[in-house]
């Protein structure tokens, strides 16, 4: 009998080969780029440039509990401990150049898009400067209005065209616009399957355990413009669909009792305890703001549409948009609660968190808690504090459920 | 009888309720989790209530050390227990400000003493009892004397740092440049009041407000909190034991419900 490969195996294999082929490309003298997670990778893919994503690499180092070495290195060279820990891990790695958690080739090109935050600008500039390699920067000012202003789109469009010229110069290759169209189409399809798969968590119980989503995220970051990326999400979607149709929940050994959203990045060094604490109470994280972050959709060959899609990235949009989106998640996913990760690293996400929390509470009445942590710096987390906050959330959700059941009983009686 | 035990990082509190849900005894021992504190508080409270261990039908543990207390029938967070305790003692209170040794929280109480919403201090000791302990040490007085000292203040000196470590050096330099101890003490109280005020605003506080936790024993702190909020703030009775009292109320309710269920069956 033929053994069908699961999406989980495929995910592991793909990540392996992603990093391996980048190392091989480097060894063969090919150009390797380091890029930010939500950048117009379509341009690099069109030119066959191997790309690694320092954010993903830093997350992997964090999850395998190797971050401290690199953080200390970066802080030792003078980077403040207040800077994003992905930046500190990567800047430390650029010095040390080896990790037990896996290696990446050093870059020949830096490709940075500030639609995720401002930190990346200085981080990537410093890399380019110390390594004496070219930097292509997409400067994407924050969109303070609800709609994406025309000038923002035009500005990004100009930068895309400029980047194409620069890339032709650097690679000494002609940019193939037909291939570009194909990559655009493929990248859109990957995003669509990512969204379709993660949307299946709307089923009750959810077939998806959201901590798995954190793992699959590596592929949407690293392989958005590749066929294999699309295929992984299609397969994952089909597996989840089958589970949903059969009414199978997220865990074999436990029932889904409560459904929550996780706001912010995972706490990679403490992934297991943050997960197990939820699972032990039957709390399933069914969604986060991530599915929306890679919902980068536009028509094939439409460079203005592409520019708009990148400037409209979730993290680059205003408070009304952000809260509107979370309110929609609360309703669509029928959430019982929200967990906000007050992530010491990510100022962009934290800065508005209290206000987002206040507005969501007012609009939906869904209880929430905030806990302190960091995406990769293991020092900024307390297990006991996390446990207390999660248990308090549980108690609020239990009360709400009991009240709902009581109301139900009463209305039946009446 | 029903017992609640609140095991903190630096103290252990026990409360016992009788069969009529009345408070039979409370006890506070200034030793927290991982010490002999919990056991001592338990024994003291039993003695005060004239009860034996076998008379206790149900135990609820709360506080930071709740997980390590093997004798409990159930664990409930200090957030729910404070809300429960306050609503048991003072029916009309809608917002609780609890300032303990290590953390501070503001809780909005809903129906039947349930938690509607809460915020807790994050990241550091700013705005907690620890802050006042450090201030008392720098000012060379005992923590119990801090309130009286501040009440004798005639000038307002703002302490602008919220960080305990920064505030310590700020206070030292104020004293070195001739500021009066009384004024500095009041400044420290005000710094806490301002910090807690921010938390109250975040939670959307409503009157009536009550204060619990060790810091509620500090009269001046309660008064300044009220001034800052522009609302009367009252100190809860047995402020340190409110979490334990709430836990005991839960123990009573859980055990009653279990009995009802058994009767139905
Ligand atoms: S974690 Fe936040 S600060 Fe760090 S790179 Fe990502 S968006 Fe920027």
């Amino acid at each position: 009998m033929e053994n069908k490969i699961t999406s989980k195996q495929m995910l592991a294999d793909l990540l392996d080969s992603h990093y391996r082929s980048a190392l091989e490309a480097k060894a063969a003298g090919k150009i390797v780029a380091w890029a930010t997670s939500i950048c117009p990778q379509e341009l690099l893919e069109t030119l066959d440039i191997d790309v690694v994503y320092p954010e993903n690499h830093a997350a992997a180092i964090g999850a395998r509990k190797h971050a401290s070495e690199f953080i200390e290195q970066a802080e030792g060279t003078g980077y403040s401990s207040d800077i994003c820990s992905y930046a500190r891990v990567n800047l430390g790695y650029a010095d040390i150049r080896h990790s037990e958690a896996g290696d990446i080739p050093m870059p020949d090109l830096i490709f940075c898009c500030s639609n995720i935050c401002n930190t990346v600008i200085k981080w990537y500039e410093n890399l380019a400067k110390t390594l004496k390699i070219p930097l292509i920067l997409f400067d994407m000012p924050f969109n303070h209005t609800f709609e994406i202003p025309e000038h923002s789109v035009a500005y990004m469009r100009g930068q895309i065209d400029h980047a194409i010229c620069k890339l032709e110069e650097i690679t000494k290759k002609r940019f193939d616009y037909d291939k570009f169209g194909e990559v655009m189409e493929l990248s859109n399809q990957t995003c669509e399957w990512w969204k379709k798969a993660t949307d299946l968590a709307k089923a009750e119980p959810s077939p998806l355990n959201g901590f798995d989503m954190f793992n699959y995220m590596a592929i949407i970051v690293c392989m958005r413009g590749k066929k294999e990326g699309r295929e992984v999400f299609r397969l994952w979607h089909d597996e989840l669909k089958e589970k949903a149709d059969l009414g199978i929940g997220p865990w074999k050994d436990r029932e889904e009792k409560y459904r929550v959203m996780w706001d912010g990045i995972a706490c990679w060094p403490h992934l297991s305890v943050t997960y197990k604490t939820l699972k032990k109470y039957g709390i399933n994280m069914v969604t986060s703001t991530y599915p929306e972050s890679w919902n980068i959709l536009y028509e094939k060959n439409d460079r203005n549409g592409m520019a708009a899609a990148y400037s409209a990235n979730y993290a680059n949009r205003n408070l009304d948009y952000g809260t509107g989106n979370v309110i929609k998640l609360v309703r669509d996913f029928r959430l019982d609660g929200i967990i906000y990760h007050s992530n010491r690293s990510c100022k962009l996400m934290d800065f508005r968190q209290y206000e987002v929390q206040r507005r969501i509470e007012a609009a939906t009445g869904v209880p929430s808690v905030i806990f302190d942590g960091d995406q990769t710096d293991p020092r900024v987390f307390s297990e006991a504090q996390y446990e207390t906050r999660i248990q308090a959330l549980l108690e609020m959700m239990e009360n709400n459920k009991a009240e709902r059941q009581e109301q139900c009983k009463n209305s039946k009686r009446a | 009888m029903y017992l609640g035990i609140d095991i903190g990082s630096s103290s252990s509190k026990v409360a016992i309720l009788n069969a009529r849900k009345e408070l039979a005894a409370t006890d506070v021992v200034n030793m927290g989790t991982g010490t002999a504190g919990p056991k001592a508080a338990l024994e003291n409270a039993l003695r005060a209530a004239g009860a034996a261990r076998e008379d206790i039908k149900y135990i609820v543990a709360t506080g930071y050390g709740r997980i390590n207390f093997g004798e409990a029938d159930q664990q409930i967070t200090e957030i729910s227990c404070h809300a429960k305790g306050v609503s048991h003692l003072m029916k009309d209170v809608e917002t609780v400000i609890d300032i303990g040794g290590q953390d501070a929280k503001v809780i909005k109480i809903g129906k039947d003493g349930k938690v509607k919403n809460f915020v807790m201090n994050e990241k550091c000791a700013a705005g907690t009892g620890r802050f006042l302990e450090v201030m008392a040490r720098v000012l060379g007085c005992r923590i119990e004397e801090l309130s009286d000292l501040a009440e004798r203040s005639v000038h307002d000196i703002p302490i602008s740092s919220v960080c305990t470590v920064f505030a310590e050096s700020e206070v030292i330099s104020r004293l070195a440049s001739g500021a009066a101890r009384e004024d500095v003490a009041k400044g420290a109280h005000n710094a806490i009041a301002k910090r807690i005020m921010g938390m109250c605003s975040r939670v959307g506080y409503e009157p009536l407000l009550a204060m619990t936790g060790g810091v509620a024993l500090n009269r001046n702190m309660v008064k300044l909190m009220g001034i800052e909020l522009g609302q009367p703030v009252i100190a809860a009775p047995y402020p340190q034991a409110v979490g334990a009292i709430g836990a005991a109320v839960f123990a009573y309710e859980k055990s009653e419900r279990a009995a009802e269920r058994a009767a139905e069956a």
Side-chain angles (χ1 to χ4, degrees):
Chain A
M1 209 178 86
E2 193 196 350
N3 256 342
K4 252 181 45 192
I5 181 165
T6 65
S7 67
K8 215 169 211 162
Q9 284 166 308
M10 202 168 157
L11 163 85
D13 295 349
L14 277 182
L15 273 182
D16 251 17
S17 79
H18 163 72
Y19 282 113
R20 200 175 343 103
S21 65
L23 285 163
E24 284 166 6
K26 181 78 186 182
K30 284 179 67 188
I31 290 182
V32 170
W34 279 9
T36 54
S37 58
I38 311 183
C39 68
Q41 48 78 37
E42 291 87 333
L43 309 186
L44 301 170
E45 191 62 39
T46 302
L47 285 160
D48 256 331
I49 296 174
D50 280 78
V51 193
V52 287
Y53 295 86
E55 289 157 75
N56 181 254
H57 184 235
I61 290 178
R64 294 189 192 131
K65 303 193 190 297
H66 290 292
S68 301
E69 177 191 357
F70 303 100
I71 287 174
E72 281 155 22
Q73 171 72 22
E75 289 177 8
T77 51
Y79 288 103
S80 157
S81 61
D82 287 328
I83 299 174
C84 165
S85 58
Y86 279 171
R88 278 176 289 147
V89 167
N90 179 249
L91 290 160
Y93 184 84
D95 282 347
I96 297 173
R97 302 191 182 184
H98 171 64
S99 168
E100 296 292 322
D103 282 322
I104 54 174
M106 290 306 287
D108 306 287
L109 165 67
I110 298 289
F111 201 74
C112 171
C113 183
S114 69
N115 59 352
I116 52 172
C117 69
N118 280 333
T119 301
V120 292
I121 300 179
K122 290 296 154 196
W123 162 13
Y124 279 66
E125 268 179 14
N126 280 13
L127 281 171
K129 194 163 177 194
T130 19
L131 299 170
K132 300 191 178 58
I133 53 175
L135 162 75
I136 295 181
L137 174 71
F138 298 87
D139 174 30
M140 273 315 340
F142 189 82
N143 295 301
H144 291 278
T145 51
F146 187 88
E147 300 298 341
I148 307 302
E150 267 311 308
H151 60 77
S152 203
V153 178
Y155 185 39
M156 182 63 180
R157 166 66 202 258
Q159 295 182 83
I160 290 174
D161 292 345
H162 176 71
I164 292 176
C165 299
K166 286 273 288 205
L167 284 169
E168 283 184 323
E169 260 170 48
I170 293 166
T171 57
K172 302 191 182 62
K173 278 204 238 170
R174 282 286 297 277
F175 193 76
D176 178 345
Y177 285 87
D178 292 334
K179 184 163 181 211
F180 188 33
E182 284 160 28
V183 176
M184 286 172 146
E185 192 172 18
L186 188 55
S187 302
N188 273 274
Q189 289 167 349
T190 309
C191 290
E192 276 165 9
W193 283 105
W194 157 258
K195 182 78 169 47
K196 270 172 90 165
T198 50
D199 265 353
L200 286 169
K202 286 178 188 165
E204 286 178 84
S206 155
L208 168 69
N209 138 31
F211 279 74
D212 275 347
M213 180 181 64
F214 281 154
N215 293 330
Y216 283 85
M217 239 169 66
I219 298 290
I220 194 75
V221 172
C222 302
M223 306 191 92
R224 185 153 47 91
K226 293 198 190 297
K227 261 202 219 81
E228 298 86 339
R230 180 189 63 196
E231 291 320 304
V232 129
F233 291 127
R234 203 204 305 251
L235 182 58
W236 188 36
H237 167 273
D238 293 350
E239 291 166 356
L240 290 171
K241 178 86 177 52
E242 196 181 322
K243 277 178 78 182
D245 289 345
L246 295 170
I248 299 175
W251 307 297
K252 285 202 184 85
D253 53 349
R254 202 166 288 268
E255 224 185 288
E256 172 184 283
K257 283 207 200 133
Y258 298 99
R259 301 159 62 83
V260 300
M261 179 191 120
W262 179 287
D263 182 66
I265 304 179
C267 233
W268 297 113
H270 305 282
L271 197 62
S272 158
V273 33
T274 48
Y275 168 58
K276 285 185 186 146
T277 306
L278 296 184
K279 185 179 168 190
K280 121 178 133 190
Y281 298 121
I283 302 174
N284 186 21
M285 185 258 281
V286 291
T287 192
S288 80
T289 45
Y290 278 123
E292 175 72 13
S293 293
W294 280 278
N295 202 11
I296 307 164
L297 301 177
Y298 56 89
E299 294 297 318
K300 178 179 174 180
N301 290 326
D302 174 10
R303 256 180 281 166
N304 283 340
M306 181 183 177
Y310 279 102
S311 42
N313 175 47
Y314 181 73
N316 210 35
R317 299 196 63 173
N318 78 354
L319 188 59
D320 289 339
Y321 182 85
T323 40
N325 184 55
V326 177
I327 291 170
K328 196 164 171 317
L329 292 177
V330 169
R331 297 190 174 136
D332 292 353
F333 285 81
R334 298 173 58 87
L335 301 181
D336 300 296
I338 302 180
I339 298 169
Y340 293 92
H341 175 193
S342 175
N343 176 354
R344 184 139 196 162
S345 270
C346 193
K347 316 303 178 277
L348 176 99
M349 296 194 200
D350 293 351
F351 186 55
R352 58 188 186 186
Q353 202 162 44
Y354 288 167
E355 181 57 12
V356 169
Q357 184 194 32
R358 199 185 61 76
R359 289 189 184 193
I360 304 300
E361 230 243 58
T364 67
V366 160
S368 56
V369 283
I370 294 188
F371 78 93
D372 278 311
D374 189 277
Q375 61 207 21
T376 26
D377 192 333
R379 302 169 297 189
V380 198
F381 175 80
S382 149
E383 202 177 317
Q385 282 190 5
Y386 178 76
E387 167 94 39
T388 297
R389 281 152 180 80
I390 296 303
Q391 214 184 327
L393 177 67
L394 174 80
E395 288 163 2
M396 290 192 280
M397 295 192 297
E398 276 170 352
N399 286 337
N400 287 351
K401 201 174 216 171
E403 257 164 45
R404 275 201 303 272
Q405 280 165 350
E406 191 65 23
Q407 276 166 6
C408 226
K409 249 198 257 159
N410 291 344
S411 68
K412 264 188 206 141
R413 249 183 248 141
Chain B
M1 288 188 169
Y2 310 90
L3 188 142
I5 180 162
D6 178 358
I7 308 171
S9 53
S10 53
S11 63
S12 307
K13 290 81 73 172
V14 169
I16 298 177
L17 294 186
N18 65 21
R20 289 183 305 276
K21 214 180 171 182
E22 296 155 350
L23 197 57
T26 63
D27 195 71
V28 178
V29 170
N30 283 328
M31 284 189 291
T33 182
T35 69
K39 196 160 167 258
L42 191 87
E43 282 166 5
N44 295 345
L46 284 173
R47 208 173 309 119
R53 181 68 186 77
E54 304 76 61
D55 299 329
I56 304 296
K57 283 209 198 139
Y58 205 94
I59 298 184
V60 169
T62 186
Y64 175 61
R66 68 187 182 283
I67 316 229
N68 305 324
F69 186 73
E71 288 181 58
D73 296 290
Q74 202 182 346
Q75 304 160 2
I76 297 179
T77 61
E78 50 271 38
I79 298 123
S80 292
C81 287
H82 270 92
K84 199 61 157 186
V86 165
S87 80
H88 180 74
L89 297 166
M90 298 175 286
K91 292 272 168 298
D92 299 326
V93 170
E94 298 217 16
T95 310
V96 185
I97 299 170
D98 172 62
I99 312 182
Q102 271 208 335
D103 62 25
K105 46 187 168 288
V106 180
I107 308 164
K108 217 158 118 183
I109 309 183
K111 229 177 56 214
D112 306 326
K114 285 181 186 141
V115 176
K116 240 201 216 160
N117 190 355
F118 74 95
V119 294
M120 264 171 118
N121 68 313
E122 277 115 25
K123 294 185 176 85
C124 65
T128 69
R130 184 61 46 90
F131 181 86
L132 286 180
E133 276 169 32
V134 170
M135 292 304 128
R137 200 188 61 221
V138 178
L139 291 166
C141 69
R142 287 185 302 130
I143 182 93
E144 302 80 22
E145 295 162 356
L146 209 56
S147 176
D148 287 346
L149 190 65
E151 250 166 350
R152 292 199 298 272
S153 157
V154 282
H155 291 113
D156 270 347
I157 292 189
I159 305 293
S160 55
S161 310
V162 288
C163 165
T164 305
V165 178
F166 288 172
E168 181 172 2
S169 33
E170 189 178 341
V171 163
I172 290 172
S173 78
R174 291 274 186 187
L175 291 173
S177 55
R181 285 169 70 237
E182 293 77 7
D183 297 340
V184 171
K186 183 168 176 204
H189 284 77
N190 270 327
I192 292 201
K194 287 211 158 51
R195 169 93 176 164
I196 300 293
M197 170 71 195
M199 292 170 67
C200 288
S201 303
R202 259 176 68 204
V203 89
Y205 65 95
E206 307 217 15
L208 198 62
L209 292 108
M211 245 175 97
T212 64
V215 175
L217 292 170
N218 177 324
R219 267 175 302 120
N220 191 45
M221 193 64 242
V222 179
K223 189 176 91 192
L224 290 176
M225 203 59 247
I227 294 173
E228 187 66 39
L229 285 159
Q231 299 275 357
V233 173
I234 44 176
Y238 323 96
Q240 288 169 290
V242 171
I245 293 171
V249 175
F250 273 123
Y252 175 89
E253 289 175 356
K254 301 271 169 191
S255 152
E256 286 295 291
R257 218 163 297 141
E260 269 169 35
R261 243 179 268 131
E264 271 170 31

